[in-house]
Amino acid sequence: MARSNGRSGGGRRICGGGGGGRAAAAPVEVEVVEEESGLGFEAGVAIVTTIILLVAFLMVDYDRGANYGEGLLFKGKYGVTDEVPALPAPAADTSDDESSDE
């Protein structure tokens, strides 16, 4: 059985044209890009979403306070009571339908 010779990186080497020695690589110029200062897109979306959720909560709480007398912030501020208002008594009929038989 044949023994492995222990070289790492086995396989073929692909070299650029020229001799077998390594040529000194030219230094690569790296451009430094600064991040933009200010509010990013993700932060803007998060702020707008938070504002919309707070407004929706306040609108629902206002509706519950105004119409049902419930809610956290608007409870009992709009004259809604737990009592059911009494219905007015029916008016007496004053027409003379039976007396006119002509």
Side-chain angles (χ1 to χ4, degrees):
M1 187 186 263
R3 287 183 75 179
S4 168
N5 59 5
R7 290 189 207 170
S8 63
R12 297 184 190 163
R13 278 194 179 178
I14 301 175
C15 295
R22 293 187 181 182
V28 178
E29 189 174 320
V30 177
E31 183 179 339
V32 177
V33 178
E34 294 182 21
E35 291 186 21
E36 295 179 15
S37 62
L39 189 64
F41 177 73
E42 292 86 10
V45 169
I47 291 172
V48 169
T49 303
T50 303
I51 291 172
I52 290 174
L53 285 173
L54 287 174
V55 168
F57 174 77
L58 290 174
M59 288 175 65
V60 169
D61 194 54
Y62 171 78
D63 183 54
R64 290 183 67 174
N67 296 324
Y68 302 109
E70 299 176 351
L72 298 174
L73 301 173
F74 300 99
K75 183 177 183 178
K77 295 190 179 189
Y78 297 100
V80 178
T81 61
D82 292 334
E83 299 176 9
V84 177
L87 296 174
D93 189 18
T94 58
S95 62
D96 294 333
D97 290 335
E98 297 176 11
S99 62
S100 60
D101 286 337
E102 291 180 28

